[in-house]
Amino acid sequence: MHASSLSRRAVLAGTAAAAALTAIPVGQGYAYGAEAQVAPAYRWRNVVQGGTGFVTGILFHPSVRGLAYARTDIGGAYRWDDRTASWVPLTDHLGWDDWNLLGVEAMAVDPAHPNRLYLSLGTYAQSWAGNGAVLRSEDRGATWARTDLDVKLGANEDGRGAGERLLVDPRDSDVLWLGTRHDGLLKSTDRGATWKAVSFPATPSGTGQGVTLLVAAGRTLYAGWGDSDGTTANLFRTADGSTWEAVSGQPSGAAAKVPIRAAYDRGTSHLYVTYANAPGPNGQSDGSVHKLCTLNGKWTEVTPVKPGGTTADGSADTFGYGGVAVDARRSGTLVVSTNNRWAAVDTVFRSTDGGRTWTSLEDTAVLDVSETPYLKWGADKPKFGWWIQALALDPYDSRHVLYGTGATIYGTRDLKNWAPRIRGLEEASARQLISPPAGTAHLISGNGDIGVMYHESLTASPSRGMASNPVFGSATGLAQAAARPAYVVRAGWGDNGNGAHSNDGGQTWAPFKAQPAIAKDAPGPIAANADGSVLLWSFVHWDGTRYAAHRSADNGATWTEVPSFPKGATPVADPADPTRFYAYDTDTGTLFASTDGGLSFTARATGLPSGDGQFELVAAPGRSGDLWLSTKTNGLHRSTDGGVTFARSDSCWASHALGFGKAADGADYPAVYLVGSTEAITAVYRSDDEARTWVRINDDQHQWGWIGEAITGDPRVYGRVYLATNGRGVQYGEPV
């Protein structure tokens, strides 16, 4: 797991003839002598969507005006650039093999050394995920040193909004503390270079929380414990950095079961702690806020509103408490946030008297989302927020407050007017990409959580917001009729329908008049034939169960099951012949084809790689029967006879995603774009000669972890490529 440290090897060896597509038995060993040529420099930028992911932590530096950091559950960490009013990504250098490190479990700064920054990384703590790591920087994240851990972290698991779980000891800047989910408390005495477990008076229960927070109150350190049953201690402290003990008199019960976050008011010597009955962000139905006087050990409950009431419409007002931040300039002033409050909407409460009285800032908030219209979620106006566990108060400006939600960061400078503060921070998990050959948009994207977006500009959040009528959560399918680009269809998880069509290239939508019953529970990929007269919809449940595909020849008014279509396969339309569809059965390694508009399918090529549902079949634009099959580490295969036979390319040994764009000057075949491997690392490549040779077009500072979902070139702009990432949105690259 050290792909980010590997150097790109130099130049292509061998001739084009040696790199030509060669028919070989599938599975036969092959030597890949051809390495990628060095490409001309590419400039990489985010397609602006406007956030779109869960911001789990925000941290102002206590000693430097205008310096702040943010962390996300799957999209890395960012530094705020006050000059440009935007976030700068800090972890894009993490490569394919390090995809699990794009989730940031915790971050820490050193008040005495403003340039130092620490991150603990690890997205999942499951057995199939890699171990965590700690990154440490002496230049605010511009460059990093890395230490691999022998424990797992869980930045995209329950409790990911708690924290921070990483702390610089205020008594000694060389000493760091790291809370883990399953392995207790770790300590470093050399600024994060090495780590050792320390004795801690609590035992992990297997729930996956462990240490939820670390905070300094003067020279005393406090640690929250998330595996308590609500009756045993869940807050501990050490005065000497050696011996930890339970804090006496601490609150107990369901409303104080899990300590979520804590903040210390130096002026009043009070430690404020937010609690919930579950780690969140989901599942919380009770919670509380308490303060501890660190001088005499007295606890006081200061909960703004106790969960459990009833809203005006009779709904139960259940929620927990999440973020907490104190005002460094005004003792006794603090903010706390509710979390998972769906009935009455989450809010941020503010107190100026140490929690005796509170004001809900949501009650008077004016939200301006004109810069990120998708935040309306298809409604008339946006809501104040949800999943609010990241909350920060500027130590140099008492009226400057930031909080994170499941899709953005909101900020205010006057405690009334709020707007997204999200420029530069993009965290979407992109799934499908279309670059239309005509129209006002160069890109349409299908995404996790935020459905489909029509990008009339690459540098501004789509003015139409998310595709509506209906609104989707996650998109599962997106397709355009090749010979009728104004016709686009989409599928996904929605409350008011799971499929829709557009007759204006994806600007406006209408739901299918009907849909198969299985669509509600298992919406899958969808395809439109070349002229848009036939739709094929495949169905896959989130648990992997696959169902029979259905066909419609009347724009979704009626649907008929297609028994001969391989269950769960992705339908692919021939871009030139409206009677042809294709599908790849990964169970058997068989290519199926239809020549009657999707009414029936028959097997063609057999014996291809099998056993992986993420293989990808792509049809080359403007050509009938020109098919390319990405089979991960089983390589790249091509058919020019509609799937009757396939030949394996010897120019790359791994192919994870493939797409096409405008041909180079003088070339008669589209440019081919690849996420795969022609040498030691997985990278992004372009070929201008039908995949005989490749040039790498990304670099070691632009790798974005997992990038195997989708890639496509622009059919109108040579060299421009769009890349779907799992947590860094849609990246697009262009030759400098």
Side-chain angles (χ1 to χ4, degrees):
M1 295 179 62
H2 299 279
S4 61
S5 65
L6 293 173
S7 299
R8 183 172 70 242
R9 294 204 300 265
V11 249
L12 181 73
T15 65
L21 289 162
T22 306
I24 61 171
V26 174
Q28 177 178 320
Y30 210 89
Y32 295 89
E35 296 179 355
Q37 295 174 337
V38 177
Y42 256 63
R43 180 184 182 187
W44 290 93
R45 290 171 285 183
N46 261 117
V47 174
V48 175
Q49 290 172 290
T52 69
F54 186 22
V55 177
T56 50
I58 304 169
L59 183 63
F60 280 105
H61 198 286
S63 307
V64 181
R65 182 187 293 271
L67 179 60
Y69 298 95
R71 62 176 168 95
T72 65
D73 52 0
I74 64 171
Y78 299 79
R79 181 185 66 245
W80 178 253
D81 185 334
D82 216 24
R83 180 182 59 85
T84 62
S86 64
W87 296 95
V88 178
L90 302 178
T91 49
D92 284 355
H93 66 282
L94 294 169
W96 179 269
D97 291 337
D98 286 329
W99 66 268
N100 191 52
L101 301 183
L102 261 291
V104 184
E105 180 87 295
M107 53 189 176
V109 296
D110 186 343
H113 299 85
N115 290 334
R116 292 180 183 171
L117 173 65
Y118 302 92
L119 304 176
S120 62
L121 310 177
T123 310
Y124 299 104
Q126 308 304 312
S127 59
W128 42 262
N131 289 339
V134 171
L135 295 185
R136 53 197 193 278
S137 176
E138 297 283 346
D139 51 17
R140 305 184 184 185
T143 60
W144 297 98
R146 169 174 161 177
T147 295
D148 290 319
L149 302 174
D150 58 4
V151 303
K152 297 179 184 296
L153 305 179
N156 194 34
E157 299 190 353
D158 285 350
R160 57 195 183 274
E164 294 294 326
R165 290 176 164 98
L166 186 61
L167 179 70
V168 176
D169 196 312
R171 297 163 300 187
D172 185 347
S173 289
D174 288 347
V175 175
L176 274 75
W177 301 85
L178 173 62
T180 73
R181 293 170 176 266
H182 301 286
D183 299 278
L185 188 62
L186 307 183
K187 182 179 182 180
S188 171
T189 57
D190 52 12
R191 300 208 300 273
T194 60
W195 294 86
K196 291 183 179 180
V198 298
S199 177
F200 194 73
T203 303
S205 67
T207 63
Q209 293 310 306
V211 178
T212 59
L213 65 87
L214 291 162
V215 64
R219 297 176 63 83
T220 300
L221 309 183
Y222 291 81
W225 186 255
D227 287 343
S228 169
D229 60 5
T231 62
T232 57
N234 56 26
L235 191 69
F236 301 85
R237 69 182 171 194
T238 179
D240 59 8
S242 178
T243 303
W244 290 83
E245 61 181 1
V247 178
S248 62
Q250 61 184 274
S252 61
K257 182 178 179 180
V258 182
I260 303 298
R261 286 185 174 269
Y264 179 61
D265 187 335
R266 184 171 52 187
T268 65
S269 299
H270 279 97
L271 180 72
Y272 293 87
V273 187
T274 58
Y275 291 91
N277 63 338
N282 288 311
Q284 294 178 345
S285 58
D286 201 357
S288 59
V289 183
H290 298 258
K291 68 177 181 180
L292 168 67
C293 179
T294 60
L295 299 178
N296 60 21
K298 179 183 178 181
W299 282 91
T300 306
E301 183 172 359
V302 292
T303 306
V305 174
K306 291 191 176 183
T310 303
T311 61
D313 64 359
S315 301
D317 188 19
T318 60
F319 56 93
Y321 279 91
V324 57
V326 298
D327 191 333
R329 303 173 71 84
R330 298 180 180 179
S331 298
T333 295
L334 71 150
V335 287
V336 300
S337 66
T338 63
N339 185 69
N340 205 46
R341 192 183 194 187
W342 295 103
V345 182
D346 277 303
T347 185
V348 172
F349 288 103
R350 182 173 185 261
S351 175
T352 58
D353 54 13
R356 287 190 292 274
T357 61
W358 296 89
T359 300
S360 171
L361 298 183
E362 188 269 340
D363 292 347
T364 57
V366 177
L367 268 66
D368 178 4
V369 298
S370 57
E371 189 173 318
T372 51
Y374 85 92
L375 287 169
K376 293 183 179 180
W377 298 90
D380 293 332
K381 63 178 182 179
K383 58 184 176 181
F384 192 71
W386 69 102
W387 284 11
I388 305 178
Q389 294 185 295
L391 180 62
L393 204 163
D394 190 337
Y396 291 89
D397 184 349
S398 297
R399 299 167 71 82
H400 184 198
V401 181
L402 299 176
Y403 67 87
T405 77
T408 195
I409 296 174
Y410 280 115
T412 183
R413 293 279 186 175
D414 60 8
L415 304 179
K416 178 181 179 180
N417 293 284
W418 300 80
R421 297 289 186 263
I422 203 68
R423 292 178 188 173
L425 197 163
E426 298 287 352
E427 203 202 346
S429 175
R431 311 285 179 78
Q432 303 95 23
L433 301 174
I434 292 175
S435 185
T440 57
H442 279 255
L443 180 68
I444 307 171
S445 65
N447 309 274
D449 298 332
I450 57 168
V452 168
M453 286 189 171
Y454 180 87
H455 303 268
E456 65 268 73
S457 168
L458 301 179
T459 58
S461 185
S463 63
R464 299 177 181 275
M466 298 165 52
S468 57
N469 195 26
V471 169
F472 289 165
S474 294
T476 61
L478 181 64
Q480 184 174 46
R484 184 185 158 199
Y487 186 74
V488 188
V489 291
R490 60 185 172 97
W493 296 94
D495 293 333
N496 299 304
N498 302 90
H501 63 90
S502 172
N503 288 310
D504 56 14
Q507 298 180 68
T508 61
W509 298 87
F512 295 142
K513 291 182 178 179
Q515 66 179 35
I518 192 61
K520 182 178 180 181
D521 298 317
I526 194 169
N529 70 345
D531 62 12
S533 61
V534 176
L535 304 178
L536 277 181
W537 197 353
S538 183
F539 299 102
V540 184
H541 194 268
W542 60 265
D543 66 4
T545 305
R546 293 172 287 181
Y547 300 90
H550 284 64
R551 176 185 185 271
S552 177
D554 53 13
N555 197 35
T558 60
W559 297 87
T560 305
E561 185 176 314
V562 185
S564 55
F565 185 93
K567 289 183 178 180
T570 299
V572 176
D574 190 286
D577 186 344
T579 68
R580 294 190 180 192
F581 283 95
Y582 311 96
Y584 185 65
D585 184 357
T586 59
D587 283 345
T588 62
T590 303
L591 189 287
F592 284 81
S594 171
T595 57
D596 55 10
L599 288 168
S600 63
F601 283 78
T602 57
R604 290 191 172 178
T606 61
L608 293 163
S610 61
D612 191 326
Q614 293 184 357
F615 291 169
E616 181 186 32
L617 182 68
V618 183
R623 289 155 173 79
S624 183
D626 190 352
L627 306 176
W628 297 73
L629 179 63
S630 292
T631 60
K632 290 192 165 182
T633 54
N634 289 299
L636 176 64
H637 306 257
R638 182 185 180 188
S639 172
T640 57
D641 53 14
V644 176
T645 61
F646 276 84
R648 182 173 177 173
S649 170
D650 67 352
S651 64
C652 65
W653 63 269
S655 179
H656 300 277
L658 194 81
F660 299 90
K662 184 177 181 180
D665 289 344
D668 59 2
Y669 196 84
V672 186
Y673 295 92
L674 170 79
V675 175
S677 302
T678 69
E679 46 180 316
I681 61 173
T682 300
V684 185
Y685 300 91
R686 189 191 74 230
S687 174
D688 295 329
D689 57 7
E690 298 185 53
R692 294 184 180 90
T693 61
W694 300 93
V695 292
R696 184 185 177 191
I697 57 176
N698 72 324
D699 56 66
D700 289 350
Q701 295 306 308
H702 297 89
Q703 300 197 76
W704 317 285
W706 173 258
I707 53 175
E709 201 68 42
I711 189 171
T712 189
D714 193 309
R716 290 177 274 177
V717 181
Y718 168 70
R720 181 187 290 172
V721 59
Y722 306 97
L723 177 67
T725 76
N726 183 45
R728 283 290 287 118
V730 180
Q731 300 285 335
Y732 74 102
E734 296 178 298
V736 173

